[in-house]
Amino acid sequence: MHKAGGNNLCKGPEAGFCLEYRRSWDKEKEAVVAAVTTAIWNKDRTLASEGPVQMVQTLMSHGGDFTFILSPLGALERGLECGRHKVSLRFPQVPPGCCGESRRMTKCHSGGALALVSLWDNPTPGKSKEAEIKRINKELANIRSKFKGDKALDGYSKKKYVCKLLFIFLLGHDIDFGHMEAVNLLSSNKYTEKQIGYLFISVLVNSNSELIRLINNAIKNDLASRNPTFMCLALHCIANVGSREMGEAFAADIPRILVAGDSMDSVKQSAALCLLRLYKASPDLVPMGEWTARVVHLLNDQHMGVVTAAVSLITCLCKKNPDDFKTCISLAVSRLSRIVSSASTDLQDYTYYFVPAPWLSVKLLRLLQCYPPPEDAAVKGRLVECLETVLNKAQEPPKSKKVQHSNAKNAILFETISLIIHYDSEPNLLVRACNQLGQFLQHRETNLRYLALESMCMLASSEFSHEAVKTHIDTVINALKTERDVSVRQRAADLLYAMCDRSNAKQIVSEMLRYLETADYAIREEIVLKVAILAEKYAVDYSWYVDTILNLIRIAGDYVSEEVWYRVLQIVTNRDDVQGYAAKTVFEALQAPACHENMVKVGGYILGEFGNLIAGDPRSSPPVQFSLLHSKFHLCSVATRALLLSTYIKFINLFPETKATIQGVLRAGSQLRNADVELQQRAVEYLTLSSVASTDVLATVLEEMPPFPERESSILAKLKRKKGPGAGSALDDGRRDPSSNDINGGVEPTPSTVSTPSPSADLLGLRAAPPPAAPPAPASAGNLLVDVFSDGPPAQPSLGPTPEQAFLSELEPPAPESPMALLADPAPAADPGPEDIGPPIPEADDLLNKFVCKNNGVLFENQLLQIGVKSEFRQNLGRMYLFYGNKTSVQFQNFSPTVVHPGDLQTQLAVQTKRVAAQVDGGAQVQQVLNIECLRDFLTPPLLSVRFRYGGAPQSLTLKLPVTINKFFQPTEMAAQDFFQRWKQLSLPLQEAQKIFKANHPMDAEVTKAKLLGFGSALLDNVDPNPENFVGAGIIQTKALQVGCLLRLEPNAQAQMYRLTLRTSKEPVSRHLCELLAQQF
């Protein structure tokens, strides 16, 4: 290549110039070879002289012709034959006679680039730093003298010297002159001179410079010149500087240029991106009110570059003012539809490796994620078709083997999946997205596996796709074990945490514990927190929970934070049935020759409180327990020794026979004269207490710790802090098994084995009643249903709670004297009545309908506030957690969410709320707990009124709380004979409600089944003669009575119609349930 280049360079009338270049060829050939090699490698038609040095010989297998530009100015093209490649080197043109006059490149009028080569001719990169500085100082002195000389410089000379100054600055040297000359270049009518002037100003001029006014005047002249090239240079300068002063000067002019009908496409692109830069720097300086509609209309522009720039601008603007730009949804969907449905040949200028306009597609999908699903059915249908098309194309064989093709294709696919997850309203798309991501879990590309795991974490939080995500559990576990990249393993652990529910909790916790033994140190603490949360949340029996936490301490004791072992102590203290097992297990764990200090802390506390439960076994007698604990004493820190001293004094109360031994330990000089004040004080006080106090006083002072009060799980709070401010909703809003005991969601467990005589267990601690002396045998579901459907008063059989219900009921603290006083404030302020609040927002009904068949999710979200809901209902009781997230960086003042009962609802539904803090910091989230009891059947949901002040301005919002009558469904199983018998009993016209309606969603049997189960009824198999029909039964539990309900759903796939029939023992309930359920299909 060098030989061919040399032969070609030394021919022609420009021989003098070529000889000069040949002189420096040996110095520069490596850079030229590197640049040409990079061009071949990247298959790029034009490339500046940059890039890694690669050997050309290794790239001969790549075909194609390439052009390498040595100068941005005029060029003379010379070809090099290099194997099968034709590489074109474009050298600056040399004016006739130039090379005869001088052999120095600086004398050739070839532009600033060659002058820079000349500048670097002497101090090459191989010379010393001192020589380089000396050469640069000499050049600076020469330039300064030229600027100060009597002879006026022409435009070319100014440009050349300003360009040198810029180059020297980019080498890391300070430049303190030449600014005025650069400003003077702005008034030139030559593009190259004006370009260098703007470049110098963009890089070196400070926003506080005294020259800003002159610069602004020059920019205004260029913006008014209507010369598209000059306008673009001016807009680029504004965007590069981006100061507030420039924003104030030009923010009003740029939107006008952007929407002007006579603006060139290149000017529109530059104006849109310039406006975006100014808006990000100073949002208050960009008034878009009168320009909004015309800016949105740019999405219809025929030039794809203008559309791409406009989408970036609109995406940023709509985050602050979503309502102003809401009309962009239909235009974005229309543009996206045209791109997705087009062939790669339709958009040739914007097709990247057979993928039409990938960057624009990604930007449009991100823009749509700023809004909820389109309300217009036609627009929504078209968008769904686009999303389905993208998913379909992902299944097609690739049109190219190049990595660029797969990257562009996958970028669109992952952004599409993000939009599907954001909407969370299309079950079919969610399941398809999950299946598509499942294929990537075993892809050879590490990045694709990472992105697939990350996206599936979000899919796991959806009610519709959670089950589909769980089918990939084995693949995710294998990734956790075998992935070499730690970041991929961390995402696999996150996904296991997200997909965990009661059905797979033991398997996932077991695998995470196994992985913890070899996990990277950077993520061990996070794994420990997740294991602790899952073990607590899905513990069916607490012996498994205790074993899991002790295993955590054994495997990764250094990473078990105080929150974790505090939590296990709280739960053991609050549960009588696990205290003996915990004492036995921790006693055995302490017998290990080397056990972690956290294990000693847990053992010291549990044995001090409940060691008497295992004292009957000679192997764990009181002296043995004390001896085992004291053998660890001298190896522990001061804090652990202090805890053990408290355990010893507890032992004196529990086991009087150990008193003399323990007093001897406390009396030892190492304790009474300990250098640590805390240990010395404890030893002295405990010794005195054990010596002078009577047995009764000692028993009173050292009695067993009371149950811990209700509060948020400290483990979950720590994980939220570790994940960052934005992780709260992701941790809280995940889909959860309705049967899961949500301890860590805000309820500290306390012992309560009290059952109630009513059919519903006292799950939420709202009622208190003594246990029945002799509860009768539980009635069967069939017998209970007969009583419910009969005309007589409702039967009140005393059903014992199921193991699941009993487990949940024991999580609650003891009920106070007043049945509904559990969460009452000491002096609650009067809540506003319906007349004091505004009407619900227009989309309140749609938001409510989203929660008819699910309990968890985002109820409301705008640019300021996000409201998440997580709820659980058992029979006629419910508990709801509302999560209020401040999405801004400004604190909310006077924050006051209240629940309002419109009409007679207060006699039908009892809702007790806990007040929240009046201030919500920026990026923070607060939680509100609602205890709900259904007194009678009701038709109207309660209202949630949220009021606060943001930036001094009052904000108010009224929503419908997602509490509907079907939430109090109790599923009931029955045989076909019993079903039809009950169906006939409910034959009165007022007891039946029927509706025939058109399907609003794709008719999928699995989705329909999931919705009916989410609605609350039990699905009965082999009841209806037509296997495509769905039959369900259940009982609506209220405090006053029970309402039996039977339903039948008949889908007609050909006509895309449904017929829904509901029969209940109360006419209003039939109609209301029929309306609620019909809206889900």
Side-chain angles (χ1 to χ4, degrees):
M1 177 177 177
H2 174 54
K3 180 178 180 181
N7 289 338
N8 282 331
L9 288 172
C10 295
K11 294 180 182 180
E14 302 84 3
F17 162 74
C18 294
L19 287 173
E20 177 65 19
Y21 189 84
R22 189 178 181 184
R23 182 175 65 82
S24 62
W25 170 259
D26 291 336
K27 300 177 182 178
E28 305 295 341
K29 65 180 179 180
E30 289 188 3
V32 175
V33 170
V36 175
T37 302
T38 308
I40 295 173
W41 181 265
N42 291 333
K43 295 292 187 300
D44 201 347
R45 294 291 177 186
T46 59
L47 186 70
S49 55
E50 61 184 10
V53 177
Q54 305 279 354
M55 292 302 294
V56 175
Q57 289 80 355
T58 63
L59 303 172
M60 289 295 109
S61 59
H62 297 276
D65 297 338
F66 308 96
T67 300
F68 171 63
I69 299 179
L70 285 179
S71 171
L73 307 178
L76 174 68
E77 185 168 333
R78 293 293 186 182
L80 296 177
E81 295 296 333
C82 185
R84 292 182 288 111
H85 309 286
K86 179 182 178 182
V87 182
S88 296
L89 302 184
R90 298 178 65 189
F91 298 104
Q93 292 179 343
V94 184
C98 173
C99 295
E101 296 175 6
S102 173
R103 296 178 50 145
R104 287 193 58 80
M105 298 168 66
T106 54
K107 297 295 180 69
C108 298
H109 299 286
S110 55
L114 287 180
L116 299 182
V117 173
S118 175
L119 172 64
W120 196 251
D121 231 1
N122 290 331
T124 60
K127 296 292 181 67
S128 66
K129 184 69 175 176
E130 291 77 9
E132 175 186 328
I133 294 174
K134 182 178 179 181
R135 178 71 181 89
I136 287 175
N137 288 337
K138 179 180 178 182
E139 190 66 33
L140 288 174
N142 177 56
I143 297 172
R144 193 187 299 270
S145 66
K146 294 292 183 181
F147 286 164
K148 291 183 177 181
D150 298 333
K151 185 179 179 180
L153 297 176
D154 59 6
Y156 168 75
S157 298
K158 284 184 182 179
K159 178 192 69 175
K160 181 176 67 173
Y161 293 128
V162 167
C163 193
K164 283 188 176 185
L165 290 177
L166 179 60
F167 181 70
I168 293 171
F169 176 78
L170 295 178
L171 290 177
H173 301 272
D174 293 332
I175 300 297
D176 56 1
F177 68 98
H179 299 75
M180 182 57 73
E181 284 72 16
V183 173
N184 291 337
L185 287 175
L186 299 185
S187 59
S188 172
N189 289 324
K190 292 185 178 180
Y191 170 77
T192 56
E193 295 175 7
K194 190 181 290 287
Q195 180 193 36
I196 293 298
Y198 274 122
L199 184 59
F200 185 94
I201 289 168
S202 299
V203 175
L204 274 86
V205 173
N206 190 295
S207 60
N208 298 322
S209 172
E210 298 175 352
L211 301 175
I212 283 294
R213 180 171 297 178
L214 295 175
I215 295 171
N216 287 351
N217 290 335
I219 291 175
K220 282 185 179 180
N221 293 335
D222 284 335
L223 291 180
S225 68
R226 311 312 297 171
N227 183 323
T229 304
F230 292 174
M231 293 177 72
C232 287
L233 285 176
L235 290 168
H236 296 167
C237 180
I238 296 171
N240 287 331
V241 176
S243 65
R244 186 171 183 86
E245 291 76 10
M246 281 197 171
E248 292 173 348
F250 303 109
D253 298 330
I254 298 175
R256 175 181 52 79
I257 296 173
L258 176 60
V259 301
D262 57 347
S263 294
M264 299 287 289
D265 292 331
S266 59
V267 176
K268 288 183 180 180
Q269 287 179 257
S270 299
L273 297 179
C274 180
L275 198 60
L276 175 61
R277 172 71 174 86
L278 293 180
Y279 181 81
K280 288 183 176 180
S282 305
D284 57 308
L285 296 182
V286 183
M288 292 303 301
E290 57 182 307
W291 309 108
T292 299
R294 299 174 69 181
V295 169
V296 170
H297 191 67
L298 289 176
L299 296 179
N300 277 336
D301 198 281
Q302 294 183 353
H303 193 275
M304 299 288 283
V306 175
V307 178
T308 304
V311 171
S312 299
L313 175 62
I314 294 170
T315 302
C316 186
L317 293 173
C318 72
K319 290 180 179 178
K320 183 176 182 182
N321 303 301
D323 293 336
D324 295 346
F325 293 87
K326 202 169 186 179
T327 54
C328 72
I329 297 176
S330 59
L331 298 179
V333 171
S334 176
R335 175 66 73 170
L336 180 65
S337 176
R338 283 180 297 202
I339 295 174
V340 169
S341 59
S342 65
S344 58
T345 56
D346 296 342
L347 302 170
Q348 291 186 0
D349 292 339
Y350 287 87
T351 296
Y352 181 77
Y353 288 87
F354 304 100
V355 181
W359 285 275
L360 178 55
S361 300
V362 168
K363 286 176 180 290
L364 288 170
L365 290 165
R366 288 181 179 171
L367 172 59
L368 292 172
Q369 291 178 49
C370 298
Y371 292 95
E375 299 174 357
D376 188 295
V379 176
K380 185 175 182 180
R382 192 172 185 182
L383 177 57
V384 170
E385 289 179 7
C386 292
L387 301 179
E388 289 176 343
T389 303
V390 174
L391 294 178
N392 291 336
K393 285 186 176 181
Q395 299 292 336
E396 297 174 358
K399 296 180 181 179
S400 171
K401 294 183 179 179
K402 303 291 184 182
V403 66
Q404 292 91 338
H405 171 74
S406 60
N407 284 346
K409 192 175 176 182
N410 291 332
I412 298 174
L413 174 62
F414 278 103
E415 209 59 51
T416 299
I417 292 174
S418 296
L419 180 61
I420 293 171
I421 295 171
H422 170 74
Y423 284 166
D424 194 21
S425 60
E426 297 293 333
N428 287 337
L429 292 178
L430 286 164
V431 173
R432 285 193 61 187
C434 181
N435 295 335
Q436 180 63 50
L437 292 173
Q439 298 176 16
F440 288 143
L441 291 180
Q442 295 179 314
H443 199 277
R444 61 186 180 87
E445 286 290 336
T446 304
N447 288 338
L448 280 182
R449 296 197 301 274
Y450 178 94
L451 291 172
L453 290 167
E454 189 175 47
S455 297
M456 290 188 81
C457 284
M458 295 185 287
L459 276 174
S461 65
S462 172
E463 294 280 342
F464 304 112
S465 56
H466 184 81
E467 293 299 323
V469 172
K470 284 168 56 179
T471 60
H472 301 285
I473 184 172
D474 294 333
T475 306
V476 180
I477 289 174
N478 185 61
L480 189 66
K481 295 177 180 178
T482 60
E483 280 288 349
R484 289 181 295 178
D485 193 314
V486 61
S487 62
V488 181
R489 293 198 298 273
Q490 187 169 7
R491 293 288 81 79
D494 291 342
L495 179 53
L496 285 176
Y497 176 79
M499 70 167 62
C500 187
D501 59 20
R502 177 155 307 205
S503 64
N504 56 20
K506 286 192 175 182
Q507 178 188 4
I508 288 176
V509 169
S510 174
E511 292 295 342
M512 293 179 80
L513 279 174
R514 193 174 294 116
Y515 168 66
L516 191 57
E517 298 183 7
T518 57
D520 299 83
Y521 296 109
I523 63 174
R524 283 197 176 189
E525 184 179 5
E526 186 176 326
I527 297 291
V528 166
L529 292 174
K530 289 179 176 178
V531 169
I533 290 172
L534 294 179
E536 176 185 344
K537 189 173 189 63
Y538 299 110
V540 177
D541 71 85
Y542 274 104
S543 59
W544 173 74
Y545 169 74
V546 171
D547 290 338
T548 300
I549 300 301
L550 294 184
N551 270 335
L552 266 184
I553 298 174
R554 179 182 59 81
I555 295 171
D558 290 337
Y559 300 90
V560 176
S561 61
E562 290 184 343
E563 288 85 357
V564 174
W565 67 266
Y566 283 177
R567 188 65 172 156
V568 70
L569 297 182
Q570 293 170 13
I571 291 177
V572 171
T573 302
N574 290 359
R575 291 192 57 90
D576 297 335
D577 57 340
V578 78
Q579 292 167 357
Y581 180 82
K584 177 177 178 295
T585 306
V586 77
F587 176 80
E588 295 172 352
L590 287 172
Q591 292 177 338
C595 67
H596 196 272
E597 186 169 338
N598 283 337
M599 185 73 76
V600 177
K601 294 177 181 178
V602 174
Y605 185 95
I606 291 179
L607 292 180
E609 294 292 327
F610 314 113
N612 60 310
L613 300 178
I614 61 172
D617 190 334
R619 294 171 295 181
S620 56
S621 62
V624 174
Q625 291 184 40
F626 172 76
S627 176
L628 180 61
L629 284 175
H630 196 56
S631 66
K632 316 289 184 183
F633 185 88
H634 302 286
L635 304 175
C636 298
S637 64
V638 171
T640 306
R641 292 184 189 182
L643 186 148
L644 290 178
L645 289 179
S646 299
T647 300
Y648 297 166
I649 192 64
K650 288 265 188 176
F651 271 17
I652 292 178
N653 179 48
L654 291 177
F655 315 119
E657 63 270 27
T658 62
K659 181 175 181 179
T661 306
I662 293 174
Q663 284 182 335
V665 170
L666 296 175
R667 201 176 281 116
S670 58
Q671 304 302 332
L672 295 180
R673 291 188 295 275
N674 197 294
D676 186 85
V677 176
E678 176 68 22
L679 292 181
Q680 185 185 89
Q681 182 175 354
R682 290 197 183 210
V684 171
E685 291 180 355
Y686 291 161
L687 178 61
T688 305
L689 178 65
S690 64
S691 302
V692 303
S694 64
T695 306
D696 294 339
V697 172
L698 201 62
T700 302
V701 173
L702 302 175
E703 66 179 352
E704 186 177 308
M705 289 290 290
F708 288 90
E710 173 187 355
R711 60 175 177 262
E712 182 186 13
S713 169
S714 55
I715 306 178
L716 185 61
K718 183 178 179 65
L719 183 59
K720 290 178 186 177
R721 293 195 301 271
K722 189 172 182 63
K723 281 293 187 182
S729 59
L731 294 171
D732 291 329
D733 295 342
R735 178 225 183 257
R736 291 294 175 257
D737 193 3
S739 62
S740 66
N741 68 333
D742 206 356
I743 307 173
N744 61 323
V747 181
E748 293 277 353
T750 54
S752 175
T753 56
V754 176
S755 61
T756 64
S758 69
S760 61
D762 188 8
L763 303 179
L764 303 177
L766 299 179
R767 301 192 301 266
S780 68
N783 293 336
L784 178 60
L785 200 63
V786 171
D787 295 334
V788 171
F789 289 137
S790 64
D791 296 331
Q796 297 287 338
S798 182
L799 295 180
T802 64
E804 177 185 287
Q805 292 171 334
F807 175 71
L808 282 169
S809 67
E810 290 168 357
L811 300 182
E812 306 307 320
E817 295 179 3
S818 174
M820 290 297 291
L822 179 65
L823 294 177
D825 289 329
D831 290 335
E835 65 280 356
D836 298 328
I837 64 172
I841 61 176
E843 60 269 27
D845 289 328
D846 294 335
L847 297 175
L848 177 68
N849 289 334
K850 285 172 50 178
F851 286 85
V852 170
C853 294
K854 68 176 186 178
N855 291 332
N856 305 332
V858 177
L859 175 62
F860 174 80
E861 184 171 11
N862 62 9
Q863 69 273 20
L864 301 180
L865 176 69
Q866 182 190 66
I867 303 177
V869 175
K870 186 163 67 170
S871 55
E872 182 179 7
F873 296 87
R874 291 290 183 274
Q875 299 186 17
N876 71 314
L877 302 174
R879 171 164 283 170
M880 179 177 290
Y881 298 91
L882 296 177
F883 300 92
Y884 304 97
N886 183 349
K887 295 175 62 178
T888 72
S889 58
V890 180
Q891 186 185 66
F892 289 166
Q893 299 287 340
N894 301 334
F895 189 79
S896 174
T898 54
V899 176
V900 179
H901 298 73
D904 297 332
L905 184 62
Q906 195 154 10
T907 64
Q908 302 162 352
L909 194 71
V911 181
Q912 287 289 332
T913 65
K914 261 192 173 180
R915 299 194 179 278
V916 299
Q919 286 80 33
V920 183
D921 293 332
Q925 184 186 76
V926 295
Q927 171 185 297
Q928 185 178 33
V929 184
L930 278 63
N931 281 351
I932 305 166
E933 183 175 20
C934 181
L935 307 176
R936 291 171 45 206
D937 55 281
F938 61 96
L939 306 180
T940 306
L943 300 179
L944 175 65
S945 173
V946 181
R947 297 180 178 182
F948 60 95
R949 297 186 72 85
Y950 168 71
Q955 307 285 334
S956 63
L957 174 73
T958 303
L959 303 168
K960 293 186 176 181
L961 201 64
V963 180
T964 49
I965 187 66
N966 66 292
K967 298 296 183 185
F968 303 98
F969 246 127
Q970 182 74 24
T972 305
E973 300 286 344
M974 63 176 65
Q977 181 179 357
D978 294 332
F979 177 85
F980 287 113
Q981 181 181 352
R982 312 296 179 257
W983 187 268
K984 292 178 181 178
Q985 291 178 359
L986 298 173
S987 57
L988 297 177
L990 298 181
Q991 293 178 328
E992 179 180 284
Q994 188 176 87
K995 187 170 186 178
I996 300 174
F997 54 94
K998 186 89 175 164
N1000 294 322
H1001 305 282
M1003 300 180 70
D1004 184 275
E1006 292 300 319
V1007 174
T1008 302
K1009 184 183 295 185
K1011 288 183 177 180
L1012 290 173
L1013 291 173
F1015 192 68
S1017 66
L1019 285 182
L1020 308 180
D1021 297 327
N1022 304 321
V1023 173
D1024 197 295
N1026 185 349
E1028 296 184 357
N1029 294 344
F1030 298 90
V1031 175
I1035 305 168
I1036 293 178
Q1037 303 277 355
T1038 73
K1039 185 176 182 180
L1041 63 127
Q1042 296 172 322
V1043 181
C1045 176
L1046 303 177
L1047 68 87
R1048 185 186 190 194
L1049 181 65
E1050 302 168 81
N1052 185 337
Q1054 292 181 347
Q1056 291 290 298
M1057 302 279 288
Y1058 287 101
R1059 179 167 66 181
L1060 174 63
T1061 308
L1062 268 129
R1063 292 187 178 183
T1064 72
S1065 54
K1066 291 198 70 174
E1067 172 201 359
V1069 176
S1070 301
R1071 292 199 311 271
H1072 185 55
L1073 288 178
C1074 188
E1075 289 293 332
L1076 280 177
L1077 189 55
Q1079 292 171 356
Q1080 304 305 307
F1081 301 100

